[in-house]
């Protein structure tokens, strides 16, 4: 599968003609001003939690594409009430289609909508398609629950927040990559706002010192899993 970084925690995943967008926050991100959300393809939109920096462009993209919004129960009901196509799930559950499986797993964080209304409990996804699996951690602290993932799934890529302040920072993300038993890490949720600015070369070196690879993509750039 091809994974494109759309800035902050937004991703585009493509395989065999299926298009999935995760946590679209693009029009509010000055660093992503070259990404035109009206050209993005999506069959599904995965949402990890209700914070503004993960949902800002959900409605526009869902309107443009007719994509199904896959999220925890409260986030799904929020969009279902606005007549979007939704699939509601909760922790431990897996959304399975002919093309992929997405399991909603725990994250240590919060999940209110921008107006303060309840957004359920935050999560991440273990996403499997074409025999490859990736962990999309969402916004989370380091948590022992991550150790559950490799009991069932051999990951090809771990997508981890590394910006600190609102999520794990680099040192905890290194431990998280140990917990999920994956040495190829795509970093996200950094540099978008002053409190989550990182030193990119120092971050890569810290992972390299532990014989791990931290990939940091330019916004709009892709990697293949
Ligand atoms: Ni958040
Ligand atoms: Mn966030």
């Amino acid at each position: 599968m091809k994974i494109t970084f759309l800035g902050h925690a937004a991703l585009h995943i493509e395989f065999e003609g299926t298009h999935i967008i995760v946590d679209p926050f693009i029009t509010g991100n000055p660093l992503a001003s070259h990404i035109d959300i009206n050209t993005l393809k999506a069959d599904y939109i995965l949402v990890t939690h209700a914070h503004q920096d993960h949902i800002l462009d959900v409605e526009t993209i869902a309107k443009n594409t007719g994509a199904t919004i896959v999220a925890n129960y409260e986030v799904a009901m929020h969009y279902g009430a606005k007549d979007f196509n939704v699939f509601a799930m909760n922790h431990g559950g897996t959304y399975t289609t002919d093309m992929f499986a997405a399991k909603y797993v725990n994250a240590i964080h919060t999940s209110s909508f921008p107006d303060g209304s309840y957004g359920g409990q935050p999560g991440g996804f273990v996403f499997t398609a074409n025999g490859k699996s990736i962990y999309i951690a969402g916004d989370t602290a380091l948590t022992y629950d991550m150790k559950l993932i490799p009991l069932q799934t051999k990951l090809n890529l771990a997508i981890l927040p590394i910006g600190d302040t609102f999520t794990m920072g680099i040192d905890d993300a290194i431990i998280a990559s140990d917990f999920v038993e994956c040495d190829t890490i795509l970093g996200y949720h950094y540099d978008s706002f002053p409190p989550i600015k990182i030193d990119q070369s120092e971050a890569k070196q810290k992972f390299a010192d532990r014989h791990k690879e931290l990939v940091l993509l330019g916004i709009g750039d892709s990697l293949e899993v």
Side-chain angles (χ1 to χ4, degrees):
M1 64 183 106
K2 181 182 172 190
I3 299 165
T4 303
F5 181 51
L6 298 177
H8 195 52
L11 305 163
H12 182 263
I13 302 170
E14 181 182 358
F15 54 94
E16 293 188 358
T18 297
H19 298 264
I20 293 166
I21 287 175
V22 184
D23 285 358
F25 171 77
I26 297 157
T27 58
N29 182 0
L31 302 175
S33 58
H34 57 294
I35 307 289
D36 177 4
I37 61 166
N38 294 310
T39 65
L40 294 175
K41 294 182 180 172
D43 301 296
Y44 302 90
I45 302 169
L46 306 187
V47 180
T48 62
H49 66 294
H51 284 161
Q52 174 87 329
D53 60 314
H54 299 256
I55 63 159
L56 181 67
D57 298 314
V58 166
E59 292 191 15
T60 304
I61 294 168
K63 264 185 205 132
N64 285 347
T65 61
T68 297
I69 299 162
V70 179
N72 75 31
Y73 183 80
E74 290 78 7
V75 170
M77 288 304 107
H78 171 90
Y79 291 114
K82 298 182 177 191
D83 279 340
F84 291 102
N85 300 321
V86 299
F87 185 85
M89 56 195 311
N90 221 323
H91 298 91
T94 302
Y95 178 52
T96 305
T97 74
D98 291 344
M99 300 297 290
F100 67 87
K103 181 173 186 178
Y104 195 61
V105 296
N106 202 27
I108 301 292
H109 193 65
T110 55
S111 179
S112 47
F113 281 96
D115 68 359
S117 62
Y118 181 56
Q121 296 295 309
F125 292 95
V126 175
F127 181 90
T128 301
N130 276 352
K132 300 284 173 72
S133 293
I134 63 174
Y135 171 44
I136 303 164
D139 285 6
T140 185
L142 177 64
T143 162
Y144 245 54
D145 287 344
M146 292 167 176
K147 288 187 169 228
L148 298 172
I149 293 169
L151 297 181
Q152 289 175 313
T153 308
K154 172 89 188 108
L155 294 173
N156 300 94
L157 179 72
I159 303 175
L160 304 177
I162 57 170
D164 213 327
T165 307
F166 306 112
T167 67
M168 297 187 284
I170 290 145
D171 294 334
D172 282 359
I174 290 170
I175 298 170
S177 70
D178 286 338
F179 283 4
V180 300
E181 299 179 14
C182 184
D183 293 333
T184 307
I185 296 94
L186 175 63
Y188 76 169
H189 212 278
Y190 65 93
D191 279 3
S192 321
F193 320 112
I196 61 172
K197 284 255 192 301
I198 65 162
D199 181 329
Q200 294 191 17
S201 51
E202 183 189 9
K204 286 182 182 176
Q205 188 57 51
K206 280 187 166 184
F207 277 88
D209 289 345
R210 299 288 299 272
H211 308 288
K212 297 168 183 284
E213 185 190 9
L214 174 67
V215 179
L216 299 177
L217 291 173
I219 296 174
D221 291 347
S222 305
L223 62 76
E224 200 70 46
V225 172

